[in-house]
Amino acid sequence: MDLIDEQIIKELSMNSRLSMSELGRRVHLSSPAVKERVLQLEEQRIITKYTIELNKKNCGYPISSIIEATIKNTLYEDFKNHIEKQHNIDFCYRIAGAACFMLKANFATFEEAELFIDGLIPFAHTKTNFIFSKVI
């Protein structure tokens, strides 16, 4: 991977819907050349998917939180099964450190957040951090 590949990745991470001609203009390559580089990045599994970013507030979820969960009594599978059924989770990672999992959840109200966290009590001790704004 070289500097041009890094520029391509940066541009696509900001807008994955760029046309190859526009992407080429931004990284100073022809459309066929940039298309070939993107294909190579996909074949190397450097680019694994294209996605969108939703404005959760406009979708009816103005409250977002990062939740650390420390599993009780080896209930890892039960916790994972519970989380997989939730509709309001952006991500859930198994992590090393003081907690076992870190997840991002979105809520319409604080009451909904409280009910969600109460639903985790059988599986884990939680630490919830509410998000004020995005920095980067």
Side-chain angles (χ1 to χ4, degrees):
M1 202 161 86
D2 61 13
L3 288 174
I4 294 174
D5 289 339
E6 289 177 11
Q7 289 176 315
I8 289 170
I9 290 168
K10 180 180 178 186
E11 292 294 336
L12 287 175
S13 68
M14 290 188 293
N15 182 357
S16 63
R17 295 188 67 193
L18 284 175
S19 69
M20 289 298 124
S21 60
E22 177 60 26
L23 181 57
R25 275 193 288 283
R26 292 183 184 195
V27 300
H28 310 290
L29 291 176
S30 67
S31 181
V34 79
K35 183 176 181 179
E36 181 61 32
R37 283 192 176 245
V38 169
L39 288 172
Q40 287 174 359
L41 291 168
E42 291 171 347
E43 287 171 4
Q44 295 169 9
R45 308 273 307 140
I46 293 170
I47 296 175
T48 58
K49 70 178 179 176
Y50 297 87
T51 186
I52 61 172
E53 181 177 312
L54 299 176
N55 182 321
K56 297 295 182 170
K57 289 179 184 178
N58 291 345
C59 293
Y61 298 99
I63 301 165
S64 294
S65 66
I66 301 291
I67 301 171
E68 296 175 30
T70 304
I71 301 303
K72 297 177 181 175
N73 302 321
T74 67
L75 295 172
Y76 289 93
E77 289 304 315
D78 295 333
F79 176 82
K80 289 193 280 187
N81 290 334
H82 178 76
I83 289 299
E84 287 172 352
K85 295 174 188 167
Q86 306 306 309
H87 69 282
N88 60 330
I89 306 294
D90 283 352
F91 63 76
C92 180
Y93 293 108
R94 176 98 186 255
I95 61 171
C100 304
F101 291 90
M102 182 170 292
L103 56 132
K104 181 180 177 197
N106 305 288
F107 308 102
T109 64
F110 281 105
E111 291 81 11
E112 188 180 300
E114 183 178 14
L115 286 172
F116 177 84
I117 294 164
D118 286 348
L120 297 179
I121 289 173
F123 314 106
H125 300 283
T126 62
K127 177 181 173 187
T128 304
N129 302 283
F130 289 100
I131 299 170
F132 294 138
S133 63
K134 183 176 179 177
V135 176
I136 57 169

